[in-house]
Amino acid sequence: MASSKVNSMASSKNRINASISTIVETEGNLAMHRNDEIRFICPNFSTDYIPGVLKLPREFCVENSNRIPERVLLHVPPRVVWKGLFKKDRFCIERLEKMMSCYCIKPYHVVLFEYDGGRNFYLKFFNPYGVESSYHIEDRSHAGVEMDKKFLTTSDFEDEKLCGTLSFNSYESAKGICDVVLRKRHLRKSEAYNLFKKAEWESLGIIQSMDYVKLTYKKKSWVVKLKWHSGNLYMGKMWYNFAKAGNMCRGDTIVFQKTEKPQKYMVCVFEKKLFGKCNVAGVGQNNGIMDWFKIANLEFIYTGEMEIPRVFSKIPGLRIPEDVNLVLKNGERFVAKYSSKENMLSGMKNMIRRYSIRATDVMIFSLTNSSTFVVSLFKISGMESKYIVANEDGGEGGSNVEEEDIMVTADDSGEGLEDVPNENDPNNAEHGIVDAGGVANELVSFRVVLKPSHVDKKQHGLYLPQNMYGTYKEWTASTIIRLMCDGRISFVSLLRSGRICRFGKGWSEFTTDHNLLEGQEIQLDYVDELTFEVTIGQ
């Protein structure tokens, strides 16, 4: 009886796709899972994205390829099964053009896999809005595989827009400054566009002395001239090119964010019909509410705060209480605080420490009742965490090394070696936290009294003490260092010559952003891979 009902459902969706092989009974719910199931994610970011192919973690393939046949079945909510070819030598599943086309799986869409042996994989899809994708199937079968590949091949501009959308919703937190709903007049060719109200452009820090702004989704930027008339701000005609490149439509909401560079703003587009791309009906979920995910960034690691994706928080009728329970796979519970005004979860530092959550780890949240989320942790490699508790001695940050200071007194003003901190200087050598092998431990600290060359805005940078050589000896000119100060992150490049290393491009912007002056003292703590926490003295 159940089988005929399911077959009836299938016949009502005939002409969907020739690649759908069968319909099976399964809830497709991955929120609560057995201990013997293997779970991993395919981030599917731009560098990993191939139309019709889902790349699997190397670790999973090495450990399980002998028990996986070449022909596999991919189960997608609610009860749809797709065929694919597992290629163990390439660590991927191929011939998925039609599946990816029907569910619009493009770059920056995350795929969650669950595997419990044999040929069966259970999948969930997440879009760049940070939430579970719609499982409504788009019918593109009439055009064939070639059309599907073309549909899945994205332009540089589309990649850029998708990357910006993912970054805003799933990586950053509380970065949106103002929202602008696009009208018809914003999308017609014109010499000027009245986009902002006064309160909006003032909130972005735009002032009348500015004659242009740079708009970007993530990496590429469009320079848009500004025009001022009778106290009103107008965007120049390059706005049209920017909007056209992003395929913006009437009714879309544009969220503007400040960046570390003055006059440069990142943009995230919330499409008017975005709910059609999201699993708002909770298909495949017992409670009828979609899952959401977040990628850990440095601010989350240090503050324990994250913004819930906007789409999830706006589900009609959903009310998240002030106290939220977070339950991990091993059953351990944590209590987080939720602010509806800021749409922020906070109070997660203990969970971060105990499970060694690092930047770029992925967290998937599944609502089980009005106040409880099941939290699944995944490493950037794709594999699910082992949920092994760290720091059981209660140590802060997983390091038992006592913090020590390295006082740098030399003036770095010139390019000559005589201005570089001397590794034999007793003021430096006696304080370095370096092990016998010459490799720095997790925490190295040093202090600097800022000289004129540090704040002259000429990118003279700041030399690192040479007893950090064990840490920076592998760094190159392409290495980017993160400086975290007052909850903000700045990026600086490096200049290296043998054992000499100093900050380069980006340092002047950092000093300007934080109003650093000659004579001020700053402390730099090397707290994580390629990351310094900077404390400004009073």
Side-chain angles (χ1 to χ4, degrees):
M1 190 74 176
S3 177
S4 62
K5 181 178 179 180
V6 172
N7 289 330
S8 175
M9 291 171 58
S11 62
S12 68
K13 293 186 177 181
N14 56 0
R15 300 186 309 276
I16 284 179
N17 201 296
S19 292
I20 301 179
S21 59
T22 185
I23 305 293
V24 298
E25 290 283 358
T26 178
E27 287 299 323
N29 190 345
L30 306 185
M32 306 301 291
H33 46 278
R34 301 189 305 273
N35 290 331
D36 59 344
E37 292 169 338
I38 301 172
R39 300 203 308 162
F40 56 87
I41 58 170
C42 168
N44 213 40
F45 297 159
S46 185
T47 54
D48 299 315
Y49 175 77
I50 304 173
V53 177
L54 290 177
K55 297 177 69 174
L56 310 183
R58 177 183 292 268
E59 178 183 343
F60 170 79
C61 295
V62 169
E63 294 181 0
N64 298 279
S65 60
N66 289 337
R67 61 175 179 149
I68 304 175
E70 182 181 25
R71 298 184 181 277
V72 295
L73 300 177
L74 307 181
H75 300 249
V76 178
R79 301 174 181 87
V80 180
V81 180
W82 299 80
K83 291 179 179 179
L85 291 181
F86 172 63
K87 296 296 184 180
K88 63 181 180 181
D89 57 330
R90 294 198 284 270
F91 308 126
C92 67
I93 299 176
E94 299 179 347
R95 297 195 183 178
L96 302 177
E97 287 86 359
K98 289 200 175 288
M99 184 192 80
M100 294 175 72
S101 175
C102 284
Y103 298 110
C104 300
I105 307 301
K106 292 189 175 186
Y108 302 102
H109 288 66
V110 172
V111 182
L112 170 63
F113 283 79
E114 182 180 285
Y115 178 71
D116 58 3
R119 65 174 64 238
N120 295 300
F121 291 84
Y122 297 85
L123 275 58
K124 277 189 176 180
F125 305 131
F126 294 82
N127 60 38
Y129 291 110
V131 298
E132 199 175 353
S133 298
S134 170
Y135 295 110
H136 170 72
I137 296 177
E138 299 289 342
D139 182 8
R140 297 189 179 91
S141 59
H142 63 281
V145 173
E146 290 303 319
M147 189 285 295
D148 292 324
K149 283 186 176 180
K150 184 177 180 181
F151 170 80
L152 294 170
T153 302
T154 55
S155 66
D156 289 344
F157 290 145
E158 188 175 2
D159 271 5
E160 176 84 357
K161 182 179 176 182
L162 290 168
C163 182
T165 301
L166 178 80
S167 179
F168 180 86
N169 289 280
S170 303
Y171 187 70
E172 303 290 356
S173 286
K175 297 295 185 183
I177 302 298
C178 73
D179 296 4
V180 174
V181 179
L182 293 182
R183 308 300 181 193
K184 189 175 181 180
R185 65 178 183 273
H186 298 143
L187 301 170
R188 292 189 299 233
K189 265 196 172 182
S190 176
E191 292 297 315
Y193 299 86
N194 185 209
L195 204 67
F196 298 110
K197 297 177 182 177
K198 184 177 181 181
E200 293 170 340
W201 53 259
E202 285 183 340
S203 69
L204 288 168
I206 298 176
I207 57 178
Q208 292 197 25
S209 61
M210 294 181 181
D211 56 1
Y212 74 92
V213 292
K214 290 183 179 180
L215 302 181
T216 178
Y217 294 111
K218 195 60 182 174
K219 296 178 182 178
K220 297 180 176 63
S221 296
W222 285 257
V223 178
V224 181
K225 291 184 178 180
L226 301 180
K227 300 180 179 182
W228 301 88
H229 182 68
S230 301
N232 293 318
L233 169 64
Y234 296 86
M235 309 284 278
K237 58 184 178 181
M238 185 57 71
W239 163 259
Y240 176 80
N241 293 344
F242 178 68
K244 186 176 180 181
N247 197 28
M248 297 183 192
C249 299
R250 180 181 180 184
D252 289 352
T253 298
I254 313 302
V255 181
F256 289 84
Q257 313 146 65
K258 290 182 179 179
T259 71
E260 70 280 2
K261 295 183 178 180
Q263 296 182 245
K264 184 176 181 179
Y265 301 92
M266 287 185 63
V267 165
C268 176
V269 181
F270 286 85
E271 300 171 46
K272 181 181 180 181
K273 298 181 179 179
L274 69 88
F275 283 108
K277 298 183 177 183
C278 305
N279 188 24
V280 290
V283 174
Q285 303 286 9
N286 288 332
N287 61 359
I289 298 178
M290 61 187 169
D291 291 348
W292 55 278
F293 78 97
K294 202 79 175 181
I295 302 171
N297 65 8
L298 287 170
E299 291 180 64
F300 169 69
I301 299 299
Y302 296 126
T303 66
E305 299 178 344
M306 70 163 62
E307 185 176 16
I308 294 179
R310 185 181 294 196
V311 175
F312 182 87
S313 64
K314 292 187 178 298
I315 294 176
L318 177 68
R319 180 185 175 275
I320 302 174
E322 290 185 5
D323 292 328
V324 176
N325 296 309
L326 306 178
V327 183
L328 300 187
K329 185 177 180 180
N330 61 2
E332 184 167 10
R333 289 176 175 262
F334 299 86
V335 177
K337 295 291 185 180
Y338 174 69
S339 167
S340 58
K341 181 179 180 180
E342 299 176 337
N343 193 31
M344 296 280 286
L345 279 179
S346 61
M348 291 179 278
K349 292 188 72 171
N350 190 33
M351 182 180 78
I352 293 167
R353 286 196 304 268
R354 282 179 63 78
Y355 292 95
S356 300
I357 298 175
R358 297 289 183 239
T360 66
D361 286 356
V362 176
M363 300 162 286
I364 295 180
F365 293 76
S366 304
L367 188 68
T368 59
N369 60 50
S370 61
S371 63
T372 302
F373 288 100
V374 173
V375 185
S376 302
L377 306 177
F378 297 85
K379 309 313 264 181
I380 192 59
S381 66
M383 298 304 298
E384 187 172 16
S385 168
K386 302 295 185 183
Y387 300 97
I388 298 173
V389 175
N391 307 329
E392 290 189 333
D393 60 355
E396 182 77 20
S399 174
N400 294 322
V401 179
E402 183 180 355
E403 292 189 25
E404 301 185 56
D405 292 333
I406 303 171
M407 186 63 191
V408 179
T409 57
D411 184 351
D412 319 5
S413 59
E415 297 293 329
L417 297 184
E418 65 274 13
D419 289 328
V420 179
N422 187 344
E423 64 179 332
N424 296 318
D425 187 335
N427 290 327
N428 294 328
E430 67 180 5
H431 292 296
I433 307 174
V434 181
D435 65 21
V439 179
N441 287 328
E442 290 186 8
L443 183 60
V444 174
S445 300
F446 64 97
R447 289 175 292 152
V448 178
V449 176
L450 296 176
K451 306 297 182 182
S453 61
H454 294 139
V455 293
D456 63 4
K457 299 180 177 60
K458 296 181 180 179
Q459 305 291 5
H460 280 138
L462 176 76
Y463 286 98
L464 302 182
Q466 289 191 24
N467 55 7
M468 278 191 67
Y469 178 69
T471 297
Y472 65 66
K473 66 181 180 180
E474 301 298 330
W475 297 354
T476 67
S478 63
T479 301
I480 300 298
I481 297 298
R482 292 166 286 204
L483 302 180
M484 184 166 183
C485 183
D486 295 333
R488 297 165 60 190
I489 296 175
S490 302
F491 297 90
V492 299
S493 62
L494 288 174
L495 296 173
R496 275 285 313 279
S497 177
R499 298 178 68 89
I500 310 304
C501 181
R502 67 181 174 93
F503 296 145
K505 186 176 181 181
W507 170 257
S508 292
E509 288 78 7
F510 172 77
T511 61
T512 300
D513 289 346
H514 294 280
N515 299 314
L516 296 181
L517 302 172
E518 177 189 354
Q520 282 186 295
E521 182 178 284
I522 62 173
Q523 177 166 313
L524 295 93
D525 300 317
Y526 189 61
V527 294
D528 203 350
E529 184 179 4
L530 304 180
T531 302
F532 286 91
E533 186 166 16
V534 183
T535 303
I536 303 173
Q538 299 298 322

